[in-house]
């Protein structure tokens, strides 16, 4: 396919050995809790780190997460720290769950349902006995903020002649060839364009323009595992049984891995009408940590009246992350004397700052048999940002580097991410001595604008003229997530000290999956000519909590 003057550099790894040996054990992890793209830094990564699952104790989940005015639940430590101030006894709890996505595909006979350890925490309650401050409480809670275990698969999707190689050609044409020490002996700045060039999927014509191929059908598999773990440390107080205030310091640990296998049936460029398979694997690993601060207050406007109002605010979470990607391909045009093309990035560091979060809640109790809570929460995802550590400007005293913002990605964040509203409703009824029934509803609006897409060509005033994320971007696929509707219920038994709670959660969510981005034309370059694939992300979750009060 390539002309004689197209001299290829030697790739970094062998695709066939890698794909079919399956030595990487994390490819065997499966079955969706959420399905989100795991790429280099981009707007979809910002959504991953800004959102959160409905998770925690079974009582919290059973009431749809609506506990921020009622308080006295460990999982509310991360949404309204003042809730810990309502404890009057020491409390220890432990929670685990099983989650199933009914429409997920099985992978290597692993069952669709996956167990998870979700929560462990305690409250140490100190009675002060004064006329003003009644209790001073200290709490700790571990909670799984997001669980990324997932698997999705699509077979035989009609591409109508479009091909991933068209985006490869665009990347190669716009970013051009690598210069100097920009990359490891590579020809093109973009790793995606590089493997396309080495596999003869994009080929310079006599004028130097890159010509892509055409494809008929696509096949897609993605397996992910890992997540974001949240560790909250709290101090709170009870003032005259009328005002409760608290402060929570949150620490986060990130460990995510993703494996994607994408393939196409490529049409013979010679016009025979025959097709040949092309395959690309994209393996990505991400680790890091984060930090935030949360403050909250709950107060009763009328003394001796159970009605209460809660308000809380959370600072952005400052995440510091390190990624590493491996991209491998198998092209039908690779010569017998050549290895299959591949590209491995070095470790790359970046930071994500999530948006501020505000919550207001209303709660009350009716006698000793009914508790009600309703709340609204808001996060403006466009307030997020991505930055990079500047290792050339280390502070001589602390050794900490300054950061500089990715202006190109900030423009994409402002354009395609929006404010997210969350509504929560919860009710708990005591129907017999020690026995409780719970119902809840939880709604989260979509964070994406309708025209959102993975733009691999953002302009910015960086040293390369564009977002530096292009140096590490090894994937072209993305998912635009829709609204989330969660319906929950629960049952609990509370004895004098020991208690057990059970909750069920049904989450309804849809998504649009795109394999790559091909502009409709030069004037509508933000409109994708490729049709989206509708994905059903509905899931069932059963959660059990054991606790002890003393």
């Amino acid at each position: 396919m390539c002309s004689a003057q197209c001299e290829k550099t030697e790739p970094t790894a062998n695709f066939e050995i890698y794909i079919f040996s399956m030595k990487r054990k994390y490819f065997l992890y499966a079955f969706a809790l959420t399905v989100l793209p795991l790429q280099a830094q981009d707007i979809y990564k910002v959504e991953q780190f800004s959102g959160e699952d409905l998770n925690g104790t079974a009582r919290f989940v059973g009431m749809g997460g609506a506990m921020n005015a009622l308080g006295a639940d460990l999982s509310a430590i991360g949404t309204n720290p003042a809730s810990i101030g309502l404890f009057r006894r020491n409390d220890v709890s432990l929670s685990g769950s099983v989650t199933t996505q009914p429409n997920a595909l099985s992978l290597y006979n692993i069952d669709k349902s996956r167990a998870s350890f979700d929560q462990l925490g305690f409250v140490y309650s100190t009675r002060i006995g004064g006329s003003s401050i009644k209790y001073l409480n200290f709490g700790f809670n571990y909670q799984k903020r997001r669980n990324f275990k997932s698997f999705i698969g699509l077979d035989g999707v009609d591409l109508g002649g479009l091909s991933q190689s068209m985006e490869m050609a665009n990347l190669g044409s716009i970013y051009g060839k690598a210069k100097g020490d920009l990359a490891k002996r590579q020809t093109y700045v973009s790793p995606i364009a590089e493997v396309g060039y080495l596999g003869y999927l994009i080929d310079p014509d006599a004028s130097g323009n890159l010509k892509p191929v055409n494809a008929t059908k696509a096949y897609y598999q993605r397996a992910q595992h890992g997540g974001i773990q949240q560790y909250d440390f709290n101090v709170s107080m009870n003032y005259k049984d009328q005002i409760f205030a608290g402060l929570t310091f949150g620490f986060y640990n990130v460990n995510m891995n993703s494996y994607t296998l994408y393939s196409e049936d490529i049409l013979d460029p010679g016009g025979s009408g025959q097709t040949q398979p092309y395959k690309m694997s994209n393996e990505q690993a991400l680790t890091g940590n984060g930090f935030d601060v949360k403050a909250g207050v709950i107060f009763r406007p009328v003394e001796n009246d159970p009605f209460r109002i809660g308000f809380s605010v959370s600072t952005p979470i400052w995440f510091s992350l390190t990624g590493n990607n491996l991209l491998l391909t198998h092209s039908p045009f690779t010569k017998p004397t050549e290895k299959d093309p591949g590209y491995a990035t070095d470790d790359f560091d970046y930071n994500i700052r999530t948006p501020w979060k505000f919550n207001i809640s209303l709660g009350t109790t009716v006698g000793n048999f009914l508790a009600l809570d309703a709340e609204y929460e808001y996060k403006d995802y466009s307030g997020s940002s991505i930055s990079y550590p500047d290792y050339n400007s280390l502070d001589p005293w602390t050794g900490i580097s300054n950061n500089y913002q990715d202006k190109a990605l900030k423009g994409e964040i402002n354009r395609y991410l929006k404010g997210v509203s969350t509504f929560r409703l919860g009710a708990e009824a005591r129907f017999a001595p020690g026995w409780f029934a719970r119902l809840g509803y939880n709604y989260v609006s979509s964070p994406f604008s309708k025209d959102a897409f993975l733009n691999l060509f953002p302009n910015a005033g960086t040293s390369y003229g564009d977002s530096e994320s292009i140096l590490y971007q090894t994937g072209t696929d993305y998912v635009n997530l829709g609204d989330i509707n969660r319906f929950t219920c629960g049952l609990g038994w509370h004895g004098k000290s020991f208690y057990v709670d059970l909750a069920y959660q049904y989450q309804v969510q849809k998504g649009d999956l795109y394999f790559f981005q091909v502009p409709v034309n030069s004037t509508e370059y933000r409109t994708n000519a490729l049709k989206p694939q509708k994905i059903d992300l509905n899931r069932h979750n059963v959660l059990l909590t054991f606790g002890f009060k003393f």
Side-chain angles (χ1 to χ4, degrees):
M1 178 183 175
C2 184
S3 57
Q5 68 267 28
C6 295
E7 189 176 21
K8 309 293 188 183
T9 57
E10 186 175 84
T12 60
N14 188 289
F15 177 89
E16 295 291 343
I17 294 176
Y18 174 78
I19 290 296
F20 299 108
S21 66
M22 298 300 179
K23 291 183 179 179
R24 300 298 180 99
K25 66 179 180 180
Y26 67 69
F27 181 61
L28 298 179
Y29 283 80
F31 312 111
L33 295 180
T34 57
V35 181
L36 300 169
L38 181 63
Q39 306 285 2
Q41 54 273 31
D42 53 49
I43 63 171
Y44 296 92
K45 182 63 83 269
V46 169
E47 190 283 328
Q48 278 187 305
F49 283 85
S50 299
E52 56 200 280
D53 297 333
L54 174 57
N55 202 3
T57 67
R59 184 182 179 221
F60 183 82
V61 172
M63 294 185 67
M67 293 288 298
N68 294 313
L70 292 174
D73 188 272
L74 267 164
S75 290
I77 194 173
T79 49
N80 189 345
S83 65
I84 304 302
L86 279 84
F87 278 90
R88 295 172 180 267
R89 299 170 64 188
N90 302 326
D91 194 338
V92 178
S93 67
L94 170 71
S95 305
S97 69
V98 175
T99 300
T100 301
Q101 184 181 2
N103 296 316
L105 300 179
S106 295
L107 179 64
Y108 289 93
N109 297 319
I110 299 176
D111 188 72
K112 296 180 180 181
S113 299
R114 300 292 295 180
S116 175
F117 170 55
D118 292 333
Q119 182 269 333
L120 174 64
F122 69 86
V123 172
Y124 180 72
S125 181
T126 305
R127 182 178 176 86
I128 302 299
S131 59
S132 297
I133 298 180
K134 302 291 187 180
Y135 288 87
L136 183 64
N137 297 340
F138 301 89
F140 165 79
N141 191 55
Y142 158 78
Q143 191 163 297
K144 187 167 289 185
R145 177 182 174 87
R146 299 213 77 167
N147 193 329
F148 293 111
K149 290 179 182 176
S150 66
F151 177 77
I152 56 175
L154 295 170
D155 289 330
V157 177
D158 184 12
L159 293 177
L162 300 178
S163 169
Q164 187 185 58
S165 65
M166 295 175 179
E167 188 159 22
M168 294 176 174
N170 289 335
L171 286 165
S173 299
I174 291 177
Y175 289 106
K177 296 187 176 182
K179 298 179 181 179
D181 59 356
L182 180 62
K184 305 178 293 292
R185 292 167 43 200
Q186 70 186 83
T187 301
Y188 288 94
V189 172
S190 165
I192 300 171
E194 174 72 359
V195 296
Y197 170 74
L198 293 175
Y200 304 97
L201 297 167
I202 55 175
D203 194 28
D205 59 18
S207 302
N209 298 317
L210 294 173
K211 297 175 59 179
V213 295
N214 297 96
T216 58
K217 292 184 178 181
Y219 307 84
Y220 180 91
Q221 290 182 329
R222 175 184 288 274
Q224 296 182 148
H225 75 95
I228 303 176
Q229 294 77 39
Q230 180 173 341
Y231 304 86
D232 285 324
F233 298 84
N234 173 276
V235 58
S236 55
M237 64 89 179
N238 173 341
Y239 180 77
K240 293 185 176 182
D241 287 329
Q242 194 160 0
I243 299 176
F244 309 87
L247 189 67
T248 295
F249 298 91
F251 299 88
Y252 303 83
N253 180 66
V254 178
N255 190 340
M256 293 191 291
N257 291 277
S258 172
Y259 178 88
T260 301
L261 178 60
Y262 174 76
S263 61
E264 292 179 348
D265 292 337
I266 294 178
L267 282 167
D268 177 15
S272 68
Q274 300 296 315
T275 62
Q276 300 181 70
Y278 146 71
K279 299 178 181 179
M280 172 186 282
S281 75
N282 184 18
E283 179 180 348
Q284 305 184 17
L286 185 64
T287 58
N289 51 72
F291 171 79
D292 74 347
V293 180
K294 299 169 276 280
V297 62
I298 299 172
F299 65 94
R300 298 190 303 174
V302 180
E303 189 176 1
N304 298 324
D305 190 295
F307 176 73
R308 63 200 72 171
I309 300 173
F311 177 77
S312 64
V313 58
S314 300
T315 70
I317 305 174
W318 289 275
F319 282 107
S320 178
L321 306 166
T322 299
N324 189 293
N325 300 345
L326 176 62
L327 180 63
L328 298 167
T329 63
H330 171 66
S331 169
F333 309 118
T334 303
K335 298 175 182 178
T337 57
E338 297 175 330
K339 295 180 180 179
D340 284 313
Y343 185 94
T345 69
D346 295 325
D347 286 349
F348 53 93
D349 300 328
Y350 63 100
N351 309 302
I352 289 180
R353 195 198 78 159
T354 69
W356 286 80
K357 180 171 66 174
F358 303 91
N359 180 288
I360 185 169
S361 52
L362 306 175
T364 191
T365 58
V366 180
N368 64 350
F369 63 89
L370 182 64
L372 302 170
D373 192 293
E375 57 193 67
Y376 172 74
E377 186 174 280
Y378 182 77
K379 293 186 287 186
D380 186 359
Y381 279 37
S382 66
S384 305
S385 63
I386 293 175
S387 63
Y388 308 99
D390 185 357
Y391 295 116
N392 295 320
S393 62
L394 294 178
D395 186 287
W397 297 101
T398 64
I400 299 176
S401 64
N402 295 321
N403 296 319
Y404 59 96
Q405 189 178 98
D406 191 320
K407 296 180 181 179
L409 289 183
K410 180 57 178 174
E412 294 298 295
I413 291 170
N414 293 341
R415 183 178 291 112
Y416 295 122
L417 294 182
K418 58 184 182 179
V420 172
S421 294
T422 301
F423 296 92
R424 303 185 183 104
L425 299 173
E428 179 182 66
R430 180 176 179 267
F431 62 90
W435 287 93
F436 299 87
R438 305 178 182 104
L439 287 174
Y441 173 70
N442 184 296
Y443 168 82
V444 184
S445 64
S446 172
F448 296 107
S449 300
K450 292 184 178 180
D451 57 345
F453 74 103
L454 179 60
N455 187 4
L456 299 184
F457 311 93
N459 297 319
T462 68
S463 57
Y464 301 109
D466 287 274
S467 169
E468 295 181 20
S469 64
I470 192 61
L471 301 176
Y472 314 106
Q473 185 66 260
T474 56
T476 61
D477 56 308
Y478 60 96
V479 178
N480 287 337
L481 297 171
D483 300 344
I484 299 175
N485 286 276
R486 299 181 175 117
F487 305 89
T488 67
C489 61
L491 183 68
W493 174 82
H494 287 214
K496 183 177 180 180
S497 297
F498 184 72
Y499 61 91
V500 181
D501 291 312
L502 180 69
Y504 166 74
Q505 175 185 176
Y506 177 51
Q507 177 173 302
V508 180
Q509 187 181 31
K510 308 295 182 182
D512 290 334
L513 168 64
Y514 295 85
F515 302 134
F516 49 83
Q517 172 80 13
V518 175
V520 172
N521 53 53
S522 59
T523 59
E524 298 181 67
Y525 70 97
R526 296 185 180 276
T527 303
N528 199 344
L530 182 67
K531 294 181 179 180
Q533 301 303 307
K534 301 294 183 180
I535 298 178
D536 185 341
L537 307 179
N538 298 350
R539 68 188 191 188
H540 304 275
N541 174 259
V542 177
L543 189 133
L544 182 66
T545 296
F546 295 97
F548 186 76
K549 293 180 181 291
F550 58 98

